[in-house]
Amino acid sequence: MTAPYEIARPDDTEQPALLPWSADPYVHALRTGRGPLFLRRTDGWLLPLDVERWCARPDDADLTVLDRCEGAVLDVGCGPGRLVAELAARGRTALGIDVSEAAVAHTARLGGRALRRSVFQPLPSERRWGTALLMDGNVGIGGDPPALLDRVSRLLAPGGLVIAETVPADVDERVQVHVTDGRGTVGVPFPWARLGTPALLRYARALRLDVEGQWAAGGRCFVALRSRSTSSSAEPPNRTAVISSQRARKPSADSPETSR
């Protein structure tokens, strides 16, 4: 069975000249697989970023998320691609999206499919994804959690899941940050948000997303939200979608594995 989406080549003319996560210490960290790396607020506060974990194989906490995925999976802000690659190895339909060219290339090297694209740009198979992932703080993308959750919910098939990782504290913060290695090299500033579970649930209720579950693993917190179903034909939970050509397909001009 082939994937239920068509990969479109991103239009580079739509990409700003400077993007966060693209021309900053993040690229170097992905290439080396290690930090230090931080998000720095304008007041100087530093949030450590766990590059080593992102570049490793999925850990036990990650697996609690992957085991809950349903249907075709879209990993929003996939980073170096550990989750997309693991889903591919399981024979699941999965696509990562990320604004970082280095992250997309890293995902492809691991055997996953990825596309250089913002979640707010047009994406393949909108309203057909079974699960959308917002891991590793990616619920903060864009600095506007309600707008992000609304956009992601509109990418799902009726009754689809959003699985988000939250801060293990009661936090609802919107800030300007930049990526830094803590040694003087910094990236461009961009809006970001940090959400604990209570704040995420407030926004979910306003968007009519139902709470499917909440859990903690490895010191990390997760929430599963289900979009309202308007169809009785939604795919049942945890159905495996096998892609016979997941690893063997030859890269084409429209494939995210094509060199850039």
Side-chain angles (χ1 to χ4, degrees):
M1 180 184 297
T2 58
Y5 53 79
E6 295 180 357
I7 302 293
R9 176 180 288 182
D11 183 353
D12 289 337
T13 63
E14 297 178 1
Q15 302 288 346
L18 288 175
L19 279 174
W21 311 103
S22 294
D24 54 32
Y26 178 63
V27 175
H28 177 72
L30 288 193
R31 289 172 178 162
T32 62
R34 61 181 184 272
L37 198 69
F38 308 89
L39 289 183
R40 183 185 180 101
R41 289 191 317 215
T42 54
D43 64 1
W45 182 84
L46 294 174
L47 173 67
L49 300 178
D50 200 349
V51 177
E52 289 82 358
R53 178 172 62 79
W54 296 352
C55 290
R57 293 180 61 86
D59 61 18
D60 289 343
D62 292 329
L63 296 181
T64 69
V65 170
L66 299 185
D67 290 344
R68 287 170 168 81
C69 289
E70 302 174 3
V73 181
L74 181 68
D75 187 0
V76 178
C78 66
R82 74 187 189 283
L83 304 180
V84 177
E86 175 63 22
L87 287 164
R90 295 183 180 193
R92 300 292 301 273
T93 301
L95 175 70
I97 58 169
D98 205 290
V99 297
S100 166
E101 184 176 3
V104 169
H106 196 287
T107 301
R109 287 195 296 272
L110 293 181
R113 292 183 176 274
L115 178 66
R116 188 184 183 195
R117 191 71 58 89
S118 162
V119 66
F120 296 106
Q121 291 179 298
L123 294 172
S125 296
E126 297 200 9
R127 298 189 181 276
R128 293 174 59 193
W129 296 98
T131 304
L133 300 179
L134 291 169
M135 297 283 282
D136 303 323
N138 285 333
V139 73
I141 289 173
D144 187 345
L148 177 64
L149 283 174
D150 181 61
R151 169 58 175 156
V152 169
S153 68
R154 294 175 185 275
L155 296 172
L156 297 172
L161 282 180
V162 179
I163 303 180
E165 183 172 350
T166 60
V167 176
D170 190 0
V171 175
D172 188 354
E173 177 182 72
R174 305 187 194 193
V175 292
Q176 284 282 325
V177 297
H178 57 258
V179 179
T180 177
D181 60 8
R183 297 174 291 198
T185 305
V186 300
V188 297
F190 56 95
W192 195 249
R194 297 174 66 239
L195 286 187
T197 296
L200 180 64
L201 296 182
R202 288 195 297 271
Y203 294 130
R205 284 193 293 269
L207 292 167
R208 294 176 56 81
L209 294 168
D210 295 326
V211 180
E212 183 78 5
Q214 304 175 50
W215 69 99
R220 298 159 62 194
C221 299
F222 307 93
V223 177
L225 305 169
R226 190 173 295 280
S227 65
R228 299 296 174 95
S229 177
T230 58
S231 169
S232 61
S233 61
E235 187 175 38
N238 294 320
R239 176 179 171 186
T240 301
V242 178
I243 315 172
S244 60
S245 56
Q246 185 73 47
R247 294 178 179 272
R249 179 178 294 177
K250 181 180 179 181
S252 67
D254 291 331
S255 168
E257 288 93 334
T258 303
S259 60
R260 300 175 185 275

